[in-house]
Amino acid sequence: MKAGQGRQQAGMDGKERRAAVSLAGMFGLRMLGLFLVLPVFSIYAHQLEGVREHPALIGLALGAYGLTQALLQIPFGMLSDRYGRKPVILIGTILFIAGSWIAAASDSIYGVLIGRIVQGAGAVASVIIALSADLTREENRTKAMAMIGITIGLSFAVSLVLGPLLASWIGVDGIFWLIGGLGLISLIFLYTVVPTPKLLRHHRDAELSPAMVAGVMKDPELLRLDFGVFALHAALTALFVVLPLVLMDPRHPLLPLERQWELYLPVMLIAFALMVPFIIIAESRRKMKQVFVGAIATLAISVLIMALSHDSLAWIALALLVFFTGFNVLEASLPSLISKISPAGVKGTAIGVYTTAEFLGAFVGGAIGGLLYDPVQNNYATVFWAVLGLFVAWLLVAIGMRQPRYVATRVLHVGAVSELEARAIEARLLAIPGVVEAAVFPDEEVAYCKVDSKVVDESALAAVMRVAGDEGLATSP
């Protein structure tokens, strides 16, 4: 084993594993709560008071959580740095529970809209990620983040299958009551299973740094990705304003609510299987841009099919399969591209801006779907054509992107160093073949390096660490 690699290859200890699993579970429960109503809300909303007069509120209520999530994500993260992670998560989860139960108890679209806004106000996703960073060592932090990411993806897939089943059993108001209960369970996790960190520290690889936001917002390549995730989630929310209605249109019903899981389950399973080879090609053969642009084109094709053939269950099934294959590829590729493109030490801020754009997209998509859909004319195709236009715009933006650098991030613990020593370590790191960028932050006692894994001299990295008095290094994709 090469010097310096022992710590890199070490697995999580018991405390880290418990923290990662429990926080991923908390994150998953929250996202499941937000996604469960997605495939059934439009049908339920037509039964609420006020919808006949203001049908656009259907889409606004569906995506309303995204607005408050986008506005409050960064403030909650900053508050957690000052007052602690668990108290802020407690406040956010109480808001989430309250919003869920306000929506459950409401008979009007106005009450549900308020409930969804309050739900989104519990915007503590960034705080949960920060707590995960507090509780894991640098070399294991990527594993913890990966567990959270996998849980989010599973929550979305499960929600599409469970949502219609639960709605047929307990109603959508029952789903909102259940969502609040999931919030309570997550609080139990927080105070009985999740360890309490001994030390709070700002982690630039996991948290947003306000001083870096301006730089991120000026980076054209990062802005392309921010627009991409905005468009992706705007399209997803807009589609689900009308898709449940398409399946249950009384003029030509395609699939009753209680059987819609039979559509979503095979589609999601096959789409996930189809995604895997594309991700492998993108990473191992360094075809990231080609796969990325191709996936956007795939989304456009899927929505074109929906616009032209939404009265056929077979065509809808094919369109959804194509859509979710592209969607899964992009959901996996976008964070990876953020990591590759963002400068050393800026990843947390880049992800923070990206996440804000994602939630804002959900809100705008709901608003677009609600404003365009006319329940009298049942003009589903109008929404599909609008989403197609959004994907075409994204495709034009993405075609101009540069081929990303195929670099990984090394997080090196350098210990307590002065500014002068930090600059000297940076210089030594940059002199190593394969090291593209290096930035040392004395306040965090770490160095962030961007390296080409196929070129970098690991023994030279280990030698710099020994000189700096460190004990090892960490890697993140």
Side-chain angles (χ1 to χ4, degrees), residues 84-129:
R85 313 297 188 204
K86 286 190 175 183
V88 173
I89 293 173
L90 172 64
I91 293 169
T93 305
I94 289 173
L95 287 171
F96 177 80
I97 294 168
S100 302
W101 288 347
I102 289 170
S106 298
D107 296 323
S108 74
I109 190 66
Y110 308 106
V112 174
L113 175 60
I114 292 170
R116 292 289 278 175
I117 291 171
V118 175
Q119 257 191 330
V124 293
S126 62
V127 186
I128 294 175
I129 291 173

Side-chain angles (χ1 to χ4, degrees), residues 34-43 45 55-67 109 112-114 116-117 119 172 176 233-244 359 362-367 369-370:
L34 290 172
F35 291 144
L36 269 175
V37 299
L38 191 64
V40 296
F41 183 78
S42 294
I43 298 168
L57 292 179
I58 296 174
L60 282 173
L62 183 61
Y65 77 94
L67 179 62
I109 190 66
V112 174
L113 175 60
I114 292 170
R116 292 289 278 175
I117 291 171
Q119 257 191 330
V172 177
F176 279 121
H233 284 265
L236 180 70
T237 311
L239 287 177
F240 275 96
V241 171
V242 296
L243 189 58
F359 285 122
F363 168 69
V364 172

Side-chain angles (χ1 to χ4, degrees), residues 171-184:
V172 177
D173 55 341
I175 292 179
F176 279 121
W177 288 115
L178 176 63
I179 291 170
L182 294 177
L184 286 176

Side-chain angles (χ1 to χ4, degrees), residues 22-34:
S22 56
L23 288 172
M26 283 184 61
F27 216 115
L29 288 174
R30 290 177 59 82
M31 299 314 294
L32 185 65
L34 290 172

Side-chain angles (χ1 to χ4, degrees), residues 389-469:
L390 190 59
F391 284 146
V392 170
W394 184 13
L395 188 60
L396 294 174
V397 169
I399 286 174
M401 71 183 286
R402 295 198 301 263
Q403 189 72 247
R405 299 174 303 176
Y406 290 86
V407 293
T409 300
R410 294 282 203 273
V411 185
L412 316 175
H413 183 77
V414 299
V417 295
S418 65
E419 284 289 344
L420 185 62
E421 291 168 328
R423 302 294 79 79
I425 295 171
E426 284 178 3
R428 290 199 296 270
L429 289 170
L430 288 169
I432 298 172
V435 176
V436 179
E437 294 180 27
V440 179
F441 298 95
D443 61 324
E444 202 176 333
E445 299 183 0
V446 298
Y448 295 100
C449 300
K450 290 293 187 75
V451 306
D452 185 332
S453 300
K454 294 185 178 181
V455 177
V456 68
D457 186 339
E458 299 286 356
S459 60
L461 274 177
V464 171
M465 298 312 297
R466 285 195 299 272
V467 171

